[in-house]
Amino acid sequence: MLLKKILLLGSVVLSTVSYAKYEPWNFTVLEGSLIKGNALPNGWGTSEKDVILEVQGTTRYNLLDLYWFVDRSNIFKNSKLSDKNGIDANYTYGEISPRISLDGLTGTNLSFGPISEWFIATQFDFDNVHGKSQWTGQNEGLRKYYVGIGNYISIPEMKYMKFDYFKTNLYARYVEKNYGRNEDQWDGYLFNIAYGGTIYKFENGMKFGFSGWLDYDFGAKNSSEFNKQTHDSLQWQNQIRFYLNNNLSVSYTYQINNHFSQVDQNSSNKNNESFGIHYAIMF
C-alpha cells in the first residue's frame, strides 16, 4: 500500500515537469550473470556454497535514475541449500531503486563542491517467501520500503583509476514484512554507497574495471521475540572485472559482512568471495 502511494505521488509530480528542459543522458543497460559464491553469509543457518543467477538493469531516462536487480539462488537444485533455513531452496531476492533528479524537478543546478546532482531516492526490497512459519507462527517474507535523499559525486581521475560513477543515498526505512520482526512500522535507516569505473583499458578494447557498494543499516529497534538481533548491519562488496568486449566479462568479488540480516549468529559475520561471468547489452 505504501509503495502504491509513493508511485502515485511520483506520477503526479512528474506529470508537471517538462522533460525537454532537463535531459542529461538517456540509456539502459541490462545484464545477466552466473555467480558462484564461496560460503555465502547466512544469519539463519549454516554457510553454504551456491550458484546464483542474477539479472540487473540500470536506466537513466530524463529525470529518472533507476537501478534494480533480482537474484535467484540454488539454480542447479542442490537440495542441501537454502537461504532461509529450509523455507525455500530456490530463494529469490530483489531490490528496485528509482531516484528522481531534484535538479531536474526544480530546473536548477543544485551542484556544489564534488556533488554534481541531487535526487529524491527510494528503494523497495522483496523476496519470494510467503505465509507463516511452521515453527514460530510469525509472518514469513520480506517487504521493505525506503525513502530519502541521494546524489552523484564527481571523483577526480587518478593515475591508475577512473570513476565512471559514485553515488550515495540516505534512507528512512518502513518495514511491511521482515520475518515477524518490527513489521508495519518505520524501523531504522540505510546509508548506501555505490561506485564503479576503469582501471586500465587496452588498445583492442579489453579493459580491467572495478565496482562496489556499501550498505550500512542502523537504528533498527530490538524485538523481544528475537534473540541475537542487532541494531545495525554492514555489507561492503568490491569487485574486479575483466571485460573481453563491450558485452562479455568475468569477475572476482569479495564481500565483508557484519551482522548480516541484522543478527549476530550462525555465519552472519562471515566474509565471502565469488566468481562470476556476465553478459550485458546497452541501448
Side-chain angles (χ1 to χ4, degrees):
M1 189 66 181
L2 180 64
L3 180 61
K4 292 180 180 178
K5 291 180 180 179
I6 293 174
L7 292 176
L8 177 61
L9 177 62
S11 64
V12 171
V13 172
L14 292 178
S15 66
T16 66
V17 176
S18 174
Y19 291 132
K21 296 179 180 179
Y22 191 79
E23 297 185 5
W25 58 81
N26 296 322
F27 67 88
T28 294
V29 178
L30 296 177
E31 181 177 84
S33 305
L34 279 178
I35 302 167
K36 182 174 178 57
N38 178 24
L40 296 174
N42 186 353
W44 306 97
T46 58
S47 179
E48 299 279 2
K49 295 182 180 180
D50 196 358
V51 178
I52 296 171
L53 172 64
E54 180 175 83
V55 181
Q56 63 177 325
T58 300
T59 296
R60 182 65 196 250
Y61 184 73
N62 297 321
L63 277 65
L64 175 66
D65 185 62
L66 172 66
Y67 173 74
W68 60 269
F69 75 86
V70 177
D71 286 351
R72 179 70 167 174
S73 72
N74 193 22
I75 61 169
F76 294 129
K77 305 294 184 181
N78 182 346
S79 61
K80 295 181 180 180
L81 284 176
S82 173
D83 278 19
K84 286 295 176 184
N85 201 20
I87 293 172
D88 189 340
N90 291 109
Y91 184 64
T92 300
Y93 173 80
E95 296 179 6
I96 305 172
S97 305
R99 308 194 306 172
I100 303 298
S101 171
L102 278 170
D103 297 53
L105 284 175
T106 62
T108 305
N109 182 358
L110 301 176
S111 65
F112 69 91
I115 299 176
S116 59
E117 189 174 3
W118 289 95
F119 295 86
I120 299 170
T122 63
Q123 183 168 301
F124 173 50
D125 299 351
F126 62 94
D127 68 11
N128 66 329
V129 181
H130 304 281
K132 293 184 179 293
S133 170
Q134 58 181 312
W135 298 287
T136 66
Q138 298 282 356
N139 287 332
E140 298 292 352
L142 188 71
R143 300 288 186 279
K144 295 180 181 179
Y145 306 90
Y146 303 79
V147 61
I149 191 78
N151 57 41
Y152 272 119
I153 297 177
S154 297
I155 305 295
E157 184 172 348
M158 296 171 244
K159 185 175 182 180
Y160 296 109
M161 185 178 294
K162 176 187 176 183
F163 281 87
D164 295 327
Y165 66 92
F166 191 106
K167 60 183 179 180
T168 72
N169 301 290
L170 179 62
Y171 304 98
R173 176 176 57 238
Y174 182 84
V175 178
E176 178 184 345
K177 296 174 63 179
N178 188 24
Y179 292 87
R181 178 180 175 181
N182 300 338
E183 296 181 334
D184 297 317
Q185 61 180 288
W186 292 94
D187 184 43
Y189 307 89
L190 169 64
F191 176 64
N192 162 262
I193 301 173
Y195 49 87
T198 302
I199 298 173
Y200 185 81
K201 188 170 184 178
F202 299 92
E203 292 183 359
N204 61 5
M206 294 181 179
K207 69 176 182 178
F208 281 103
F210 68 93
S211 64
W213 54 263
L214 180 146
D215 279 354
Y216 178 57
D217 291 279
F218 62 99
K221 306 179 186 74
N222 280 346
S223 173
S224 59
E225 291 88 0
F226 292 86
N227 295 322
K228 301 292 186 179
Q229 61 186 311
T230 63
H231 296 284
D232 63 354
S233 175
L234 173 70
Q235 285 80 50
W236 186 16
Q237 182 182 108
N238 283 286
Q239 181 181 96
I240 298 294
R241 280 207 199 190
F242 179 64
Y243 294 83
L244 287 83
N245 51 46
N246 290 332
N247 305 109
L248 187 62
S249 60
V250 293
S251 68
Y252 169 78
T253 302
Y254 191 82
Q255 182 170 319
I256 296 172
N257 301 292
N258 183 252
H259 299 161
F260 186 82
S261 302
Q262 291 186 335
V263 293
D264 187 11
Q265 62 185 10
N266 297 309
S267 59
S268 62
N269 297 317
K270 186 178 183 64
N271 299 339
N272 66 283
E273 61 182 356
S274 60
F275 300 88
I277 182 169
H278 318 269
Y279 189 85
I281 56 174
M282 181 175 180
F283 54 90

